[in-house]
Amino acid sequence: MIHDDPVTLYDVALSSRLLLGTARYSSPAILAEAIRGSGCEIVTVSLRREAGGARAGEAFWSLIRDVGVRVLPNTAGCRTAKEAIATAQMAREVFATDWIKLEVIGEEDTLQPDVFGLVEAARALADDGFKVFPYTTDDLVVAEKLLDAGCRVLMPWAAPIGSGRGVNDAFALRALRAHFPDTPLIVDAGLGAPSHAALVMEMGYDAVLLNTAVSRAGDPVLMARAFALAIEAGRAGFRAQPMTPRDMAEPSTPLIGRPFDRLA
């Protein structure tokens, strides 16, 4: 990874710009290898998947301790602000962190966030001392309201969760980046291939969160590494300031001084 270019999330500097989900892996061993292969420093986990005092969760916590990553609990599956707030409060006790990935789902087929409930929950949690990572749409007005509610990071979708479609609306994502140049923006949901991740990083996004694209790949470990490389390449491309696209061709070899000019 590009260690001289860390990303800072709620005053924590991280060398990796990849966040990895922990659901739907074929085995704990594959999950551990994928985490290590990706080089990520943050993994997300649902409170409903792991219970702090339950025997079923002991193996998971042992795995997380062994790989040495930070846990970002999420409120996956919550349908109302009240449910999300209660889940976040339980997660703080279980996982011993005030970081929370906030999800309030409003539509079943697309799993699109309920942006009204999301803003309500974000405000309540921020007021309660949480560091909120809201899963949101690419809507500029919603983004502004989330920042006003106390969020210091935004996590817009590229496409519906688990769809693997890549970037549905490049214009919207570019507009979001341009409107909030100083806010860490993490693309969350919808990416299916490493090239999708490289694209959003070239747009200037700060990080990418993945789950299904890695966990359901034929080789999750190799795919985790591929995404890590794509994210690094995309970030390097953004920092290098790509050329501006043109409508007409421009020769890469100068015309002056061609060997046959004198024979014309």
Side-chain angles (χ1 to χ4, degrees):
M1 301 302 291
I2 306 175
H3 296 290
D4 65 340
D5 182 37
V7 59
T8 300
L9 305 177
Y10 285 106
D11 300 321
V12 175
L14 303 160
S15 60
S16 173
R17 293 174 179 268
L18 171 59
L19 291 71
L20 203 60
T22 56
R24 302 183 67 186
Y25 285 83
S26 59
S27 73
I30 294 297
L31 169 60
E33 285 299 309
I35 293 172
R36 293 189 179 98
S38 73
C40 75
E41 297 167 77
I42 297 175
V43 297
T44 64
V45 60
S46 171
L47 176 66
R48 298 191 303 174
R49 180 176 181 273
E50 299 296 339
R55 180 170 298 178
E58 292 175 1
F60 176 81
W61 280 115
S62 177
L63 182 154
I64 295 300
R65 286 192 296 269
D66 287 346
V67 296
V69 291
R70 177 185 289 266
V71 169
L72 175 61
N74 67 40
T75 63
C78 291
R79 296 305 197 267
T80 66
K82 182 178 180 180
E83 184 182 0
I85 292 167
T87 301
Q89 291 168 339
M90 288 188 289
R92 180 162 59 183
E93 296 300 319
V94 171
F95 298 110
T97 179
D98 56 7
W99 281 26
I100 191 74
K101 180 191 171 189
L102 180 61
E103 297 183 27
V104 182
I105 300 302
E107 205 282 321
E108 292 297 326
D109 291 331
T110 63
L111 298 180
Q112 179 169 324
D114 172 358
V115 295
F116 303 101
L118 183 67
V119 172
E120 178 186 347
R123 188 177 303 279
L125 291 173
D127 289 346
D128 193 25
F130 281 90
K131 296 175 174 61
V132 182
F133 294 69
Y135 163 60
T136 184
T137 64
D138 50 23
D139 186 281
L140 293 174
V141 176
V142 175
E144 188 67 61
K145 291 186 179 299
L146 286 169
L147 294 177
D148 290 343
C151 299
R152 291 166 52 191
V153 174
L154 299 176
M155 304 182 73
W157 69 350
I161 293 173
S163 67
R165 294 178 56 87
V167 177
N168 269 355
D169 192 339
F171 174 82
L173 287 183
R174 292 183 190 279
L176 198 64
R177 177 72 284 175
H179 277 73
F180 304 104
D182 300 320
T183 300
L185 299 179
I186 303 171
V187 170
D188 175 19
L191 303 185
S195 57
H196 300 159
L199 173 60
V200 298
M201 295 304 293
E202 287 174 0
M203 291 180 183
Y205 276 75
D206 297 283
V208 165
L209 194 155
L210 303 164
N211 194 153
T212 309
V214 174
S215 66
R216 308 311 292 175
D219 186 335
V221 178
L222 185 59
M223 186 61 77
R225 293 171 183 162
F227 267 104
L229 291 171
I231 289 167
E232 182 174 355
R235 178 62 182 176
F238 170 74
R239 294 178 71 194
Q241 302 178 20
M243 63 176 286
T244 303
R246 296 167 52 91
D247 292 329
M248 302 295 291
E250 179 181 0
S252 57
T253 301
L255 297 178
I256 298 176
R258 291 185 303 174
F260 298 106
D261 280 350
R262 294 180 181 179
L263 299 179

